[in-house]
Amino acid sequence: MITPTENEKTKDPFAVVFGPRKATTALDWAILGCLVAGGVGIFKASEMDSPFGVLLCLLGAVAAFGLVIYVHFRKQ
């Protein structure tokens, strides 16, 4: 079994994907809010009675998730 020494740095999986993090910014909270809004839209779509309501909820969820993806790629 090989154990890492003090000189070897273990890679943080989040740092590999998102880059080094300094602090939580307002943009990070906005992204989290859009993700929550998209999840709520999907949940509400499962409870809708009319097809038009389902379409609107799913369209809102896609827009919220699309905004998160756009902002994520725009930051890099």
Side-chain angles (χ1 to χ4, degrees):
M1 184 170 134
I2 300 173
T3 58
T5 62
E6 291 180 18
N7 294 335
E8 294 179 10
K9 293 183 179 179
T10 57
K11 289 188 177 183
D12 180 20
F14 294 109
V16 171
V17 175
F18 298 112
R21 303 291 298 196
K22 295 177 185 147
T24 303
T25 62
L27 185 61
D28 294 332
W29 288 108
I31 289 173
L32 180 65
C34 286
L35 285 174
V36 169
V40 168
I42 291 173
F43 176 73
K44 291 297 283 183
S46 67
E47 296 180 348
M48 287 287 168
D49 293 332
S50 68
F52 185 68
V54 171
L55 178 66
L56 284 179
C57 285
L58 292 180
L59 184 63
V62 167
F65 286 127
L67 180 65
V68 169
I69 291 170
Y70 172 76
V71 169
H72 176 70
F73 285 127
R74 184 83 173 159
K75 281 174 57 174
Q76 293 179 354

